[in-house]
Amino acid sequence: MRRKLSSSADEDNEGGLPAPPKLNNDEKKTFSTAKFDITRNSDTLDRRKIEKALSSAQLASDPWTSSAKPLPSPRISEQPTLQQAEDKMLGSRAQRWHRIWNPWACSLPTFTAALCALIMIFFILNSFMTRQLDSKGCDMYYTRSMFWNFADFDTEHTRFASKYSLHLYRELGFDEDKKVKGVPVLFIPGNAGSYRQARSLASETVQHYYNTVQQDKVALKGGATSIDFFSVDFNEDLTAFHGQTLLDQAEYLNDAVAYILSLYHDSRRSQRDPGLPDPSSVILIGHSMGGVAARTMLTMPNYQSNSVNTIVTISAPHAKSPVSVDADLVRTYERINNYWRDAYSQKWASDNPLWHVTLISIAGGSLDTTVPSDYASLSSIVPSTHGFTVFTSSIPGMWTGADHIQTTWCVQLVKPIARSIFEALDVHRPSQTKPRAERMRVFKRWYLTGMEATAEKTLPFKEPTTLLTLEDQSVSINPAGTRLVLRGIGRSERPTAHVLPIPPQGIPTRKKFTFLSNLPLGDNAHTQQLDVLLCSVLPQQPGNSAALFALAIDLSEGRAGSTRFACKNAATDLIQLPASYRTSVYPFDKQLPFSYLQYDLEDLGEHQLVAIVEKAPESADAWAIAEFSDNSESNTIVSTGLKYLLAFGTRFKLPADRPLVTTFQIPTVHSSLLAFELRMGKQACGGGNAELFTPLLRQYLSEPHESRYFVNVKEANVSLHGIAPFMPPPLQSQAASNGISLQFWTDPTCDSSIDVSLKVDISGSIGKLVMRYRTVFAAFPLLIVALVLRKQFRLYDDSGAFVTFSESMDLCLRMSLPLFFLALTFLSISFAISSAATTAATSTGFFSQSGNGTESAIDYAKNDLLLGSQDPIFWFLVPMFGLLSAGLCIIINYTALGVVFLLQMAFRPLTSRSLRPKNDHAKKPSMSAFTSTSPRRRIITASVLLLLLATCIRASYHVRDNGSRANHNFYNYAHSILLLMLCVLPINIPVLVVWIHNLAVHWLTPFSSHHNVLSIMPFILLVETLTSGKMIPQVSTRTSHVTNVMFFVLAVYAAVYGISYAYLLHHLVNLVAAWLMALHLSGSDLSLSGFTQILDGDDDGGHVKKRP
């Protein structure tokens, strides 16, 4: 490589810069002295050459200037004098040089970018914290807990015994014995979680068993028994940042499962009924990363086959790693998900090692600001036959979101989880659970609303339990096609039956039966005030005796001509809805919920009529509505394009003669990045009819199962977890275009129409970017710094002036950055179009399958590039994040300048005068930008980043005391490298925290990937070289293009792959540091002694003088 030399040293003195010191003829030139001469001459280039390079850079940044026509020459009388022109030229030159060398200089583009970034950050954070917020409705669970530690689960059983431990939960006042006696359940905490987070769920299982299950003979006969609740203490490990820690936990969990199962074989530790089979599997409940660890267990070598068949996860990021700063974590996620996908892609169940496994994922929704709830989706991992994803706002009786920690102690969530586990048990089987299909029915019944298209009705599988006897005078028959409305139920002194004939099968229009009441329904007909019975005529045969039915309702009073019906109680398919009155505020208010039933006509094929029997002992303010309605009247598809919807919104009307339930499906609304505002007109009731209930709204998605309820609707904030950035495509063919559905329950007795409007909430949508794109700030700022450094090196190699970061940022903002982000914008549009086309092809193509198969052509990493958007309409996010990152880098730059200045002023009085620069160059020449410290002192300074910061501080000393070109160049260079290191810091800090945590618990994790000292050696050598004060040499050959290309490649990779594969940015910056170190070495003899002198900065020909 060849460095450029200045033609004259006098030209440098022309601008007030000190000339290089002259050496005596008899003075011996040492290695460092000779090196200084070349560097000094290189740094004292002609100022006109520097201005020419900067002018050309600015000219390229402003195309309008280059194309502007020259102005006409002024008249001779108007021409300024020679002295005025010279003064103007000198003033402009001084202003130019002041901006070049002043790191605090701020141009208009720089200030504008920083101001825009601050404004955007303010609006985004304000929207995130104040707009489109879900209400918190969780109640705290209180326990009286105690834990037994298994000290004998030691190194003979697992190699992690010194780091982790196993505990058994017991409830004071119920069960304090350490012996096992029930079905084993293991709780797995998440990232930095505690084993004590199992208290609420474990306490509920104990209390529910002793207070309810133990007295229920039917449940005990069906296989229910007590539960032994175990919990693992992971010492609050940080699994979300470190893949090896996740693998360690999975290995320990398999060892723990084997140990737990061995307890039931030891008669000294077990009190189980000897007539029951010993457990062969353990139920797993994982919170956060604990759910991922549970899935990882099944892929480990020490996993015992069939030792796990039921996994319930809470707020667990299954689909994608929450951060991508660790290579092992990203690869582990990929390996785990591929294992599960490959297992479920097998054609035969015998080839699927996970055929018996059910996996349930429960997400907290928008209140969870720790892990994006989009990542809890299982659609890309598990088919619907083996698992599903549900949001807490969908769970019957809960109807509220929950944050990341609330999901461990929320009463409304703990209760259904505990009850679903008890119902899934079968102690008579070695697996201790029901078969997979039955377990799935149990979990769907407890976690889903029951209105999903895949919901299974239990009525067809049940036998008639009620004998209903009717005659003409004791029954009220509703004419076909009319609605039944009951007000003031209980006014009649005797039970009354209201009958709705079921329409015949095969009619042209599809119909469904709907029923809504504010009275509870139940299986115990003796205590219920209202029964809904689906009946068939009972043939008059000798064998049909009333003794065959559990309940007989005779409303004929012995009259002749009565008819007997065999009926099924529809309460088994009851759907609970939150009550909606004028006083209602939240769906989770402490009010008696509504009872809702919904059947398609095909579900009622074996019945002839629906009988609604009111048995209220006294008049009550109760009501009920039942009807058969056409699907075409109750279901409407809103075919409004997304662009039109974003610009103008949409409106639709609920007609006056509407059915009880009306659903509007909007296929274009499916993005998690958009939020909407819904406004609903007033429900006016006329004709003397009192309003039965106020409008109730359910917003829902079919996949994942997310339902949100709004009571007493006037206004509603509509947001969803649909198609999200970076999410892999679904495992099975799904109708992704179904979009969001809005389901309204309105009082049909109010003879008035209701207007509904829906428009995008721009300010609320901005806040959705925080959870989906918070990791963008680990990649895009590095992109900006790389391009700025690229510009600095280009100017330095051309002119010899290493301009300030602010000046280079100003030049980049004028041309380089806009062009770069314009290209990225078109690239993001092409990625989104390609992703949408691929999804459509796999969902409608010839190889599209249903059931348990998957499409082999699916690329699960296709949405990992750039911003991961799957919709071209979000093209504006690329330039927006680009401007935001540029402004953030400007703020970081000035913040770093301020910190350096403050530290310089604080430590300046304490600094030895021997380390300060001398202004008298005739006495002693400066061999480098500043005098280096001793090697021993540098060895003591172990921190690379702090060492670089100290280098910047010391360089600033020399810039303030001696404003030579060399000092300015070196200070600007060191400061830019400091900013580069700061941008890489967010990628390395999480793993460093894991390492420190392991040291605190006396556990040494083996280094791998970029966490070993050899992988960061270029960083160490570069910073160590900078401490010697040696400026990187100019490169005048084609080698300079290597530096240009390396920084450009770093910027491109940070933009395209940096968010999903952030760990690779460390390696790229490491390569850049190695190249810069090679440039430093190119300025000296390629020998060990020359390399040592670069680091030491000696100037006496290799004779090191002793320092006092």
Side-chain angles (χ1 to χ4, degrees):
M1 285 177 278
R2 184 174 72 252
R3 290 174 293 167
K4 297 180 180 179
L5 302 179
S6 60
S7 59
S8 174
D10 295 336
E11 295 176 355
D12 188 60
N13 296 332
E14 191 179 323
L17 297 177
K22 297 181 179 180
L23 299 176
N24 298 330
N25 295 332
D26 56 348
E27 184 176 355
K28 180 182 179 181
K29 288 190 176 183
T30 63
F31 172 82
S32 300
T33 305
K35 181 172 60 178
F36 164 77
D37 291 339
I38 297 177
T39 307
R40 184 60 182 168
N41 289 332
S42 178
D43 289 343
T44 56
L45 290 173
D46 187 3
R47 179 170 297 190
R48 289 173 297 179
K49 192 173 182 179
I50 302 174
E51 292 178 354
K52 181 179 180 181
L54 292 174
S55 299
S56 62
Q58 290 183 348
L59 192 62
S61 303
D62 191 359
W64 299 104
T65 304
S66 60
S67 61
K69 296 182 179 180
L71 296 176
S73 302
R75 299 176 182 177
I76 298 178
S77 59
E78 296 176 355
Q79 290 182 357
T81 63
L82 182 61
Q83 182 65 33
Q84 291 175 340
E86 188 175 336
D87 293 342
K88 185 176 180 180
M89 181 180 64
L90 292 176
S92 176
R93 176 178 293 181
Q95 184 178 6
R96 171 78 61 84
W97 280 87
H98 174 75
R99 190 178 73 249
I100 293 174
W101 297 123
N102 183 14
W104 293 95
C106 183
S107 64
L108 180 60
T110 304
F111 175 78
T112 303
L115 181 62
C116 291
L118 288 175
I119 294 175
M120 284 192 293
I121 290 175
F122 171 78
F123 278 108
I124 291 175
L125 293 181
N126 180 71
S127 172
F128 177 69
M129 294 184 293
T130 61
R131 300 282 300 178
Q132 292 281 338
L133 298 180
D134 292 343
S135 301
K136 296 184 178 181
C138 279
D139 297 330
M140 176 74 77
Y141 201 102
Y142 297 94
T143 67
R144 299 177 60 194
S145 59
M146 62 177 296
F147 287 91
W148 290 99
N149 181 25
F150 291 95
D152 58 340
F153 185 45
D154 51 17
T155 54
E156 294 184 1
H157 299 86
T158 177
R159 64 189 182 99
F160 299 100
S162 60
K163 185 181 182 182
Y164 304 143
S165 57
L166 181 65
H167 301 267
L168 174 64
Y169 178 89
R170 289 306 185 209
E171 182 83 3
L172 294 176
F174 286 93
D175 188 5
E176 303 177 15
D177 190 4
K178 191 177 181 179
K179 292 185 176 182
V180 295
K181 55 182 70 68
V183 175
V185 174
L186 178 61
F187 177 83
I188 309 173
N191 182 65
S194 170
Y195 70 99
R196 294 184 176 274
Q197 291 176 328
R199 290 174 297 183
S200 299
L201 188 55
S203 177
E204 175 62 24
T205 58
V206 173
Q207 297 188 40
H208 181 65
Y209 172 75
Y210 284 100
N211 295 333
T212 305
V213 177
Q214 198 174 35
Q215 285 76 37
D216 189 346
K217 296 181 179 180
V218 177
L220 294 176
K221 185 178 179 180
T225 187
S226 62
I227 289 178
D228 296 319
F229 220 100
F230 296 85
S231 185
V232 179
D233 183 8
F234 282 140
N235 260 321
E236 300 182 358
D237 258 348
L238 303 174
T239 49
F241 305 139
H242 199 232
Q244 185 60 47
T245 301
L246 178 62
L247 296 176
D248 292 347
Q249 289 188 0
E251 181 180 343
Y252 177 82
L253 289 170
N254 281 326
D255 295 336
V257 167
Y259 176 80
I260 291 172
L261 294 177
S262 68
L263 297 177
Y264 293 88
H265 297 282
D266 189 350
S267 59
R268 297 170 300 176
R269 296 189 168 189
S270 176
Q271 290 183 349
R272 279 175 59 94
D273 185 352
L276 297 175
D278 292 328
S280 62
S281 66
V282 177
I283 298 174
L284 302 181
I285 300 178
H287 175 252
S288 186
M289 290 299 294
V292 181
R295 286 202 303 121
T296 309
M297 292 172 57
L298 280 67
T299 67
M300 299 297 291
N302 66 331
Y303 169 68
Q304 294 184 9
S305 180
N306 298 329
S307 60
V308 173
N309 66 5
T310 302
I311 304 176
V312 178
T313 66
I314 307 170
S315 301
H318 292 292
K320 193 173 182 63
S321 171
V323 293
S324 59
V325 298
D326 180 66
D328 290 340
L329 183 63
V330 175
R331 296 191 189 105
T332 300
Y333 255 88
E334 183 179 359
R335 183 177 63 84
I336 296 169
N337 289 343
N338 286 339
Y339 177 86
W340 283 67
R341 291 164 183 157
D342 293 342
Y344 289 118
S345 66
Q346 302 301 319
K347 183 177 182 180
W348 305 107
S350 58
D351 298 329
N352 183 1
L354 304 178
W355 179 258
H356 62 287
V357 178
T358 55
L359 176 62
I360 309 300
S361 177
I362 302 175
S366 299
L367 290 179
D368 190 348
T369 57
T370 302
V371 174
S373 291
D374 306 287
Y375 291 1
S377 174
L378 298 176
S379 61
S380 64
I381 302 172
V382 178
S384 58
T385 55
H386 289 72
F388 58 86
T389 305
V390 63
F391 283 73
T392 57
S393 57
S394 303
I395 298 178
M398 185 169 182
W399 300 319
T400 179
D403 63 34
H404 202 67
I405 302 300
Q406 280 182 339
T407 52
T408 62
W409 50 257
C410 181
V411 173
Q412 294 93 323
L413 179 60
V414 165
K415 288 182 179 295
I417 292 178
R419 284 156 173 75
S420 65
I421 292 176
F422 273 109
E423 194 168 333
L425 297 181
D426 188 354
V427 73
H428 305 103
R429 295 164 52 91
S431 63
Q432 305 295 292
T433 58
K434 292 180 171 65
R436 178 192 54 82
E438 294 186 30
R439 294 200 306 273
M440 287 297 297
R441 293 192 190 98
V442 170
F443 292 135
K444 287 181 179 181
R445 185 163 60 252
W446 279 101
Y447 299 147
L448 301 185
T449 63
M451 292 176 282
E452 292 79 9
T454 59
E456 298 181 7
K457 301 298 183 180
T458 60
L459 198 68
F461 303 99
K462 291 186 175 294
E463 296 295 330
T465 58
T466 303
L467 178 62
L468 178 63
T469 305
L470 301 175
E471 55 89 25
D472 294 340
Q473 297 182 2
S474 63
V475 64
S476 173
I477 301 178
N478 222 52
T482 60
R483 178 185 299 119
L484 173 64
V485 179
L486 301 179
R487 297 175 181 268
I489 295 177
R491 293 177 181 176
S492 177
E493 297 180 356
R494 54 189 295 274
T496 305
H498 304 272
V499 173
L500 281 79
I502 296 177
Q505 299 287 332
I507 58 177
T509 59
R510 295 189 59 187
K511 290 182 176 291
K512 65 179 180 180
F513 170 75
T514 54
F515 169 87
L516 183 67
S517 176
N518 62 345
L519 287 177
L521 301 180
D523 291 331
N524 192 349
H526 294 284
T527 59
Q528 296 300 320
Q529 298 176 331
L530 193 68
D531 284 335
V532 179
L533 305 176
L534 302 179
C535 304
S536 302
V537 177
L538 185 65
Q540 295 291 339
Q541 296 180 1
N544 294 327
S545 173
L548 299 177
F549 299 91
L551 177 66
I553 302 177
D554 189 356
L555 302 181
S556 64
E557 297 182 353
R559 297 188 183 94
S562 61
T563 306
R564 296 193 305 173
F565 297 89
C567 303
K568 299 179 182 179
N569 197 323
T572 56
D573 293 325
L574 174 66
I575 300 172
Q576 289 188 340
L577 297 178
S580 181
Y581 302 106
R582 289 295 174 189
T583 58
S584 301
V585 179
Y586 301 111
F588 48 83
D589 288 340
K590 308 301 180 183
Q591 293 180 324
L592 189 67
F594 288 169
S595 298
Y596 179 67
L597 293 173
Q598 175 179 298
Y599 290 103
D600 290 331
L601 194 59
E602 292 78 5
D603 299 328
L604 307 178
E606 61 180 82
H607 306 288
Q608 285 82 40
L609 57 88
V610 178
I612 299 176
V613 182
E614 53 173 310
K615 302 178 297 182
E618 58 185 12
S619 178
D621 188 15
W623 49 266
I625 303 175
E627 67 178 10
F628 284 93
S629 59
D630 294 338
N631 284 339
S632 59
E633 296 178 357
S634 57
N635 296 325
T636 303
I637 297 179
V638 181
S639 57
T640 302
L642 183 58
K643 295 180 181 178
Y644 185 89
L645 183 63
L646 295 178
F648 307 103
T650 185
R651 294 177 178 273
F652 41 87
K653 178 178 290 187
L654 302 178
D657 57 346
R658 60 186 177 271
L660 172 64
V661 185
T662 307
T663 302
F664 292 89
Q665 181 182 330
I666 311 177
T668 56
V669 178
H670 50 67
S671 175
S672 297
L673 299 178
L674 294 177
F676 297 86
E677 289 181 337
L678 183 141
R679 299 181 183 275
M680 192 170 185
K682 184 178 180 181
Q683 177 179 267
C685 290
N689 293 327
E691 185 181 54
L692 298 179
F693 63 96
T694 55
L696 171 65
L697 169 63
R698 173 192 173 223
Q699 162 215 318
Y700 71 92
L701 286 174
S702 58
E703 180 59 41
H705 299 294
E706 180 186 21
S707 295
R708 299 176 64 213
Y709 294 91
F710 303 90
V711 297
N712 192 18
V713 183
K714 300 181 183 67
E715 297 179 353
N717 293 325
V718 178
S719 61
L720 60 150
H721 293 83
I723 298 179
F726 308 110
M727 289 294 292
L731 185 69
Q732 293 175 297
S733 302
Q734 295 172 354
S737 60
N738 284 344
I740 195 174
S741 296
L742 303 176
Q743 193 171 19
F744 296 89
W745 285 265
T746 55
D747 188 351
T749 62
C750 296
D751 191 15
S752 63
S753 60
I754 303 176
D755 294 325
V756 180
S757 65
L758 183 71
K759 66 177 182 178
V760 65
D761 182 6
I762 298 178
S763 59
S765 300
I766 293 176
K768 301 299 178 183
L769 300 176
V770 175
M771 290 302 299
R772 277 79 180 186
Y773 286 115
R774 54 185 176 179
T775 55
V776 76
F777 297 108
F780 271 42
L782 186 60
L783 178 159
I784 301 296
V785 173
L787 292 179
V788 172
L789 271 167
R790 173 175 171 266
K791 177 69 71 174
Q792 285 179 300
F793 273 96
R794 289 183 62 185
L795 293 176
Y796 177 61
D797 290 336
D798 291 340
S799 65
F802 202 95
V803 298
T804 63
F805 187 88
S806 303
E807 176 68 14
S808 181
M809 174 66 77
D810 174 64
L811 296 175
C812 290
L813 286 173
R814 295 176 185 272
M815 178 60 71
S816 302
L817 287 176
L819 289 179
F820 190 83
F821 282 105
L822 179 62
L824 289 181
T825 301
F826 285 109
L827 188 63
S828 68
I829 294 175
S830 66
F831 285 161
I833 295 176
S834 175
S835 176
T838 305
T839 302
T842 55
S843 61
T844 61
F846 178 78
F847 293 101
S848 178
Q849 302 178 19
S850 60
N852 199 43
T854 61
E855 296 82 2
S856 58
I858 296 179
D859 179 13
Y860 293 101
K862 68 177 183 179
N863 298 323
D864 290 346
L865 306 181
L866 245 172
L867 295 182
S869 175
Q870 304 178 42
D871 198 326
I873 202 168
F874 297 109
W875 61 267
F876 62 89
L877 292 179
V878 174
M880 188 187 78
F881 281 121
L883 179 59
L884 189 61
S885 300
L888 187 62
C889 288
I890 295 171
I891 297 172
I892 293 175
N893 172 44
Y894 286 108
T895 302
L897 289 174
V899 171
V900 170
F901 176 77
L902 293 177
L903 293 177
Q904 172 193 346
M905 300 304 296
F907 290 101
R908 188 178 182 89
L910 304 178
T911 306
S912 172
R913 296 185 62 85
S914 61
L915 295 179
R916 296 186 183 180
K918 304 292 185 179
N919 289 330
D920 189 1
H921 292 270
K923 294 181 181 179
K924 183 178 180 180
S926 176
M927 297 300 104
S928 60
F930 54 84
T931 307
S932 63
T933 59
S934 65
R936 178 176 299 178
R937 182 174 178 180
R938 292 204 308 273
I939 293 175
I940 296 176
T941 310
S943 174
V944 174
L945 189 59
L946 292 180
L947 194 61
L948 183 56
L949 180 60
T951 303
C952 292
I953 295 173
R954 293 166 60 206
S956 65
Y957 284 155
H958 293 262
V959 172
R960 289 175 59 88
D961 295 341
N962 180 9
S964 66
R965 180 91 53 79
N967 290 335
H968 275 292
N969 281 347
F970 181 79
Y971 173 68
N972 295 337
Y973 171 57
H975 180 75
S976 297
I977 296 299
L978 173 63
L979 295 179
L980 180 65
M981 299 294 184
L982 288 176
C983 289
V984 183
L985 196 61
I987 300 174
N988 294 322
I989 278 184
V991 180
L992 178 62
V993 172
V994 174
W995 182 68
I996 295 175
H997 175 268
N998 286 339
L999 290 181
V1001 298
H1002 307 289
W1003 183 264
L1004 301 179
T1005 301
F1007 283 106
S1008 62
S1009 182
H1010 61 276
H1011 315 316
N1012 59 69
V1013 69
L1014 296 179
S1015 294
I1016 62 173
M1017 185 59 68
F1019 289 110
I1020 299 175
L1021 294 179
L1022 178 61
V1023 175
E1024 179 66 14
T1025 303
L1026 290 177
T1027 61
S1028 67
K1030 298 298 181 182
M1031 181 60 187
I1032 191 170
Q1034 289 178 257
V1035 180
S1036 58
T1037 62
R1038 294 181 179 180
T1039 312
S1040 62
H1041 298 303
V1042 177
T1043 308
N1044 185 15
V1045 170
M1046 291 191 72
F1047 280 111
F1048 186 77
V1049 170
L1050 174 60
V1052 172
Y1053 187 90
V1056 179
Y1057 297 96
I1059 301 177
S1060 298
Y1061 306 96
Y1063 66 91
L1064 285 176
L1065 294 177
H1066 169 94
H1067 297 294
L1068 291 179
V1069 177
N1070 199 27
L1071 290 176
V1072 171
W1075 173 249
L1076 296 180
M1077 187 62 204
L1079 292 181
H1080 276 282
L1081 291 176
S1082 68
S1084 63
D1085 295 336
L1086 295 179
S1087 63
L1088 182 60
S1089 60
F1091 177 68
T1092 305
Q1093 290 182 13
I1094 282 182
L1095 297 183
D1096 293 342
D1098 299 331
D1099 59 343
D1100 54 354
H1103 300 285
V1104 180
K1105 297 180 180 180
K1106 295 184 178 180
R1107 300 179 185 269

